[in-house]
Amino acid sequence: MNTIDAKKFYNEVMPNKQGDDYEVARWHNTPIASVGYEQTNAAIRKYLPSTLQPASILEIGPGAGTWTKVLVEKYPETLMTLLDISREMLDRARTALGDDRIMYIESAFDDFTSNEQFELIFSSRMLEYMEDKETFAAKVADLLTSGGSAVLTTKLPHYTRLRLQGKRVSNFHTGQIAPVRLGQLLEKNGLKVQTIAAVTVNVPVFKSAKLNRLAGKLIGRLPLNPVTNTCVESYLIVATKP
Ligand SMILES: C[S@@+](CC[C@H](N)C(=O)[O-])C[C@H]1O[C@@H](n2cnc3c(N)ncnc32)[C@H](O)[C@@H]1O
């Protein structure tokens, strides 16, 4: 997926496909999606730094601001910058969150430059849309203050399994990166990986929200490995800048 496709999708295709309430369409349209919401909400709350009241936060790809609400709740004093490639998504985030202490920037992260550094960089489910992961990691490292943290969630690739099952991998979702590789890229740019953990869990074949919830409770306590990964749909990585 290149950035032009992502911009076009979130500005033009998504409103027709998912209607006026992206958050409901994305996170609550099925019982399985709602369990994914619960799991993401719990993981983000667990892994956002609680010792730090950051002076500034950058969120990359906030979409309609679903997880920004958690950031605002947890860090009510902090100035936030929301950066998204899509004007449509930023408008939705602004409607949900208002302008108080929040700045909205319409830009591809690929092109974003800033003299400011941020104490916390947060991003949920955006990285899979950005082709150049090396640039992503370098920019995150560059934009973090010393002592700052990056909390990133993204999808775990299951391309081999999908191909073995004879399923087509949509062009829209070919940009997923394995946790170890993402950790390596962040460390190559001077960050220290503190945590890699499962976020959403989707047990293959059964398509059961209850089973996903139960499996999530077990797998959430374990380090990711080839066995747990068969059920992990998305993961979270925390990296800090020394
Ligand atoms: C799947 S949505 C995730 C929204 C929200 N973070 C969530 O978890 O519900 C991906 C978001 O990333 C944005 N995005 C995709 N590629 C981007 C890029 N290269 N730079 C900045 N934002 C991008 C999209 O416009 C969209 O709002």
Side-chain angles (χ1 to χ4, degrees):
M1 154 103 351
N2 63 46
T3 50
I4 294 167
D5 289 343
K7 186 180 171 94
K8 195 172 159 56
F9 178 82
Y10 281 101
N11 277 337
E12 296 172 24
V13 182
M14 182 280 301
N16 290 326
K17 214 172 149 185
Q18 295 181 309
D20 289 340
D21 197 334
Y22 174 82
E23 188 173 315
V24 167
R26 166 64 189 84
W27 290 105
H28 301 288
N29 69 336
T30 64
I32 288 185
S34 290
V35 171
Y37 175 88
E38 278 171 31
Q39 292 171 333
T40 306
N41 191 20
I44 289 172
R45 286 173 188 275
K46 178 170 176 185
Y47 291 108
L48 280 175
S50 48
T51 49
L52 179 86
Q53 274 295 323
S56 56
I57 298 176
L58 171 66
E59 182 176 359
I60 312 161
T66 302
W67 307 116
T68 321
K69 290 182 221 157
V70 176
L71 298 173
V72 169
E73 182 193 318
K74 194 164 169 82
Y75 309 117
E77 305 301 323
T78 299
L79 297 174
M80 306 218 1
T81 300
L82 307 192
L83 177 123
D84 202 292
I85 198 171
S86 158
R87 164 57 42 198
E88 174 71 27
M89 291 311 251
L90 283 177
D91 286 347
R92 290 177 182 220
R94 184 183 268 113
T95 302
L97 299 153
D99 287 292
D100 188 23
R101 286 177 301 104
I102 302 182
M103 192 162 79
Y104 298 86
I105 298 179
E106 181 187 351
S107 168
F109 186 53
D110 326 44
D111 302 330
F112 179 60
T113 54
S114 170
N115 294 329
E116 189 190 354
Q117 286 182 311
F118 302 87
E119 277 186 59
L120 175 63
I121 296 182
F122 175 80
S123 184
S124 160
R125 304 292 281 264
M126 168 274 168
L127 176 55
E128 51 264 41
Y129 298 95
M130 183 163 159
E131 263 174 322
D132 186 350
K133 312 301 189 220
E134 301 234 359
T135 297
F136 178 89
K139 277 184 175 273
V140 166
D142 201 39
L143 287 163
L144 265 186
T145 55
S146 182
S149 301
V151 178
L152 313 167
T153 82
T154 190
K155 278 189 108 172
L156 191 140
H158 286 291
Y159 299 131
T160 310
R161 188 180 80 204
L162 290 173
R163 287 194 186 104
L164 285 173
Q165 289 173 331
K167 292 191 181 157
R168 198 181 133 262
V169 178
S170 131
N171 178 38
F172 207 55
H173 290 284
T174 48
Q176 297 160 17
I177 181 168
V180 171
R181 178 72 187 131
L182 178 56
Q184 285 168 346
L185 288 182
L186 293 167
E187 296 217 328
K188 188 175 144 193
N189 285 283
L191 302 188
K192 174 101 189 68
V193 172
Q194 305 290 353
T195 306
I196 299 181
V199 177
T200 53
V201 168
N202 208 336
V203 182
V205 183
F206 292 94
K207 295 190 174 35
S208 159
K210 280 186 187 159
L211 187 59
N212 288 353
R213 185 181 285 121
L214 186 67
K217 290 204 164 90
L218 297 173
I219 289 173
R221 297 195 196 120
L222 302 171
L224 293 191
N225 62 54
V227 177
T228 57
N229 285 358
T230 57
C231 298
V232 173
E233 184 201 27
S234 67
Y235 63 93
L236 174 146
I237 191 158
V238 181
T240 52
K241 185 157 166 178

